[in-house]
């Protein structure tokens, strides 16, 4: 068995072919898609967070709305850029969203990727400490977030409060028990994956990672996952970790599928996402189901992961994306032992 979810970047544009013309379209359709995904038996609904872009940005209202309208599906992010976050306020938002969903939040966070504007986090009022890089800042704020999720009191109570206080130091509220174990770190490098394991976070690895060997993407990603699992075991954490990978996978079962994705690129690509940071981008998979099963069976990283997130073309609307996801569940997953 393998958990299968979708990952949406939540694009919108006034393009005449888009079903998501506005931010409102994208938000409301995201809720509808999560509800439909639960109905067809999908395991997770995940959303990417980008700032200063016509894409989903503030995740907690959306996650809370989905949590209120569903009952089984995991809801999460992949990922929240911690450079833009107030860790303590985020603890309150995450706790509320998790309680609304009755403990189904799976929150992916990271130090962040290149954004739409230069040092966009400065516009949010944040800056690295002396000697820090922005990546260091993101990791530091991630650890601050984790520390407060344990629910240990840390704040000295006012001797003359508006409302009576319990004894001792106060914690942030609302506190959601168990959420700390459902935090994931989005790692683009082997070293960061090891760091995530040391800090008892689950691992999210996307369709992109830093090129550290020149090998095919799925092999580099599988090696990253193995290093993460080794570090987790060495750290001696009491629970088993979870690992997700993202893929663009399309089963070509209709003429419309073939028109949209029949010419999808079937090879890895290499490039630069930051100065002097060479990255490898994983290929898309698009083929008839029998061929797709053969190709996916050779993907080492998918085999190493317990969770697969299918990146979806959200601009094509809810109905078509339900078809895309259903096609994987019906025609591909059983042949790979995922169902």
């Amino acid at each position: 068995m393998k958990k299968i979810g979708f990952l949406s970047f939540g694009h919108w544009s006034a393009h005449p072919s888009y079903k998501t013309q506005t931010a409102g379209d994208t938000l409301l359709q995201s809720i509808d898609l999560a509800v439909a995904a639960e109905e067809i038996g999908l395991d997770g609904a995940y959303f990417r967070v980008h700032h200063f872009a016509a894409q989903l940005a503030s995740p907690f209202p959306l996650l809370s709305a989905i949590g209120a309208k569903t009952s089984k599906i995991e809801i999460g992010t992949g990922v929240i850029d911690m450079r833009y976050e107030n860790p303590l306020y985020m603890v309150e938002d995450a706790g509320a969203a998790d309680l609304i969903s009755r403990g189904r939040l799976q929150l992916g966070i990271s130090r962040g990727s290149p954004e739409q504007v230069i040092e966009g986090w400065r516009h949010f009022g944040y800056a690295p400490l002396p000697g820090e890089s922005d990546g260091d800042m993101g990791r530091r704020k991630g650890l601050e977030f984790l520390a407060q999720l344990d629910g240990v009191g840390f704040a000295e109570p006012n001797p003359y409060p508006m409302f009576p206080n319990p004894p001792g130091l106060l914690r942030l509220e609302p506190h959601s028990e168990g959420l700390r174990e459902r935090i994931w770190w989005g790692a683009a490098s082997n070293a960061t994956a090891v760091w995530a394991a040391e800090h008892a976070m689950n691992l999210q690895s996307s369709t992109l990672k830093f090129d550290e060997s020149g090998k095919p993407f799925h092999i580099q990603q599988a090696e990253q996952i193995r290093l993460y699992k080794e570090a987790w075991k060495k750290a001696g954490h009491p629970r088993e970790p979870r690992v997700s990978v993202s893929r663009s996978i399309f089963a070509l079962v209709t003429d419309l599928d073939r028109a949209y994705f029949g010419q999808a690129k079937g090879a890895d690509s290499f490039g630069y996402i930051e100065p002097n940071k060479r990255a490898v981008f994983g290929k898309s998979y698009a083929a008839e189901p029998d061929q797709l099963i053969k190709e996916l069976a050779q993907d080492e990283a998918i085999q190493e992961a317990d969770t697969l997130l299918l990146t979806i073309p959200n601009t094509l609307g809810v109905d078509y994306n339900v078809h895309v996801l259903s096609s994987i569940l019906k025609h591909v997953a059983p042949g790979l032992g995922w169902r």
Side-chain angles (χ1 to χ4, degrees):
M1 293 289 290
K2 191 181 295 291
K3 288 185 178 292
I4 303 174
F6 73 77
L7 175 63
S8 173
F9 280 52
H11 298 281
W12 70 84
S13 172
H15 192 284
S17 68
Y18 280 18
K19 301 292 186 181
T20 51
Q21 296 277 307
T22 67
D25 291 340
T26 294
L27 288 162
L28 293 171
Q29 288 184 31
S30 294
I31 297 169
D32 291 343
L33 180 57
V35 170
E38 179 175 87
E39 291 173 352
I40 65 173
L42 212 69
D43 300 300
Y46 288 74
F47 301 91
R48 184 68 167 90
V49 178
H50 281 117
H51 300 285
F52 298 104
Q55 299 176 35
L56 294 171
S58 53
F60 292 107
L62 175 60
L63 298 175
S64 296
I66 292 172
K69 296 197 71 172
T70 57
S71 61
K72 296 179 293 185
I73 196 168
E74 294 179 345
I75 55 175
T77 53
V79 291
I80 296 173
D81 185 337
M82 292 304 297
R83 296 174 298 180
Y84 288 77
E85 296 296 323
N86 177 322
L88 273 63
Y89 194 79
M90 186 172 162
V91 167
E92 295 180 344
D93 277 348
D98 196 46
L99 291 169
I100 288 170
S101 69
R102 294 178 174 85
R104 289 181 284 128
L105 196 63
Q106 301 285 341
L107 207 61
I109 64 176
S110 84
R111 70 88 156 173
S113 59
E115 291 289 303
Q116 296 300 106
V117 302
I118 297 171
E119 297 185 344
W121 28 269
R122 291 191 185 275
H123 296 288
F124 280 55
Y126 304 117
L129 297 175
E132 275 190 332
S133 68
D134 63 303
D136 295 333
M137 175 177 68
R139 284 182 285 272
R140 170 175 55 80
K141 293 170 79 173
L143 294 180
E144 291 173 5
F145 173 66
L146 290 180
Q148 299 308 327
L149 284 177
D150 287 330
V152 177
F154 66 96
E156 188 73 30
N158 184 350
Y160 306 103
M162 181 177 294
F163 309 106
N165 279 324
L169 300 177
L170 301 184
R171 70 183 184 185
L172 293 168
E173 300 289 355
H175 173 69
S176 186
E177 194 70 35
L179 178 56
R180 171 62 180 83
E181 295 186 355
R182 288 177 275 114
I183 305 302
W184 307 59
W185 187 264
S189 69
N190 292 348
T192 308
V194 169
W195 177 85
E198 292 169 348
H199 290 283
M201 288 183 278
N202 300 316
L203 177 66
Q204 285 185 338
S205 193
S206 71
T207 51
L208 174 154
K209 75 176 296 293
F210 292 139
D211 176 25
E212 299 182 74
S213 68
K215 296 177 182 177
F217 170 76
H218 75 102
I219 293 176
Q220 290 200 50
Q221 190 175 53
E223 292 172 345
Q224 179 195 45
I225 295 170
R226 293 183 193 115
L227 289 170
Y228 166 82
K229 291 178 178 178
E230 291 170 7
W232 184 280
K233 183 177 180 180
K234 183 178 179 180
H237 302 308
R239 65 179 178 88
E240 288 296 314
R242 288 185 61 184
V243 176
S244 74
V245 296
S246 304
R247 292 291 185 274
S248 296
I249 303 173
F250 301 98
L252 306 181
V253 297
T254 69
D255 288 341
L256 187 57
D257 297 333
R258 297 180 188 97
Y260 278 142
F261 303 108
Q263 304 302 315
K265 187 176 182 180
D268 296 342
S269 59
F270 292 80
Y272 289 85
I273 59 170
E274 295 180 356
N276 303 315
K277 285 287 188 180
R278 181 175 165 86
V280 55
F281 301 79
K283 66 182 181 181
S284 296
Y285 291 93
E288 303 292 327
D290 288 348
Q291 179 61 29
L292 205 52
I293 290 170
K294 293 178 182 178
E295 293 179 11
L296 292 171
Q298 304 303 312
D299 191 310
E300 291 186 15
I302 291 179
Q303 309 310 316
E304 290 284 345
D306 59 80
T307 301
L308 173 64
L309 301 183
L310 303 170
T311 57
I312 58 166
N314 76 283
T315 58
L316 296 181
V318 174
D319 290 344
Y320 184 72
N321 277 289
V322 170
H323 160 73
V324 167
L325 298 169
S326 298
S327 296
I328 298 298
L329 292 180
K330 180 178 180 181
H331 300 294
V332 178
L336 288 161
W338 300 345
R339 283 292 187 272

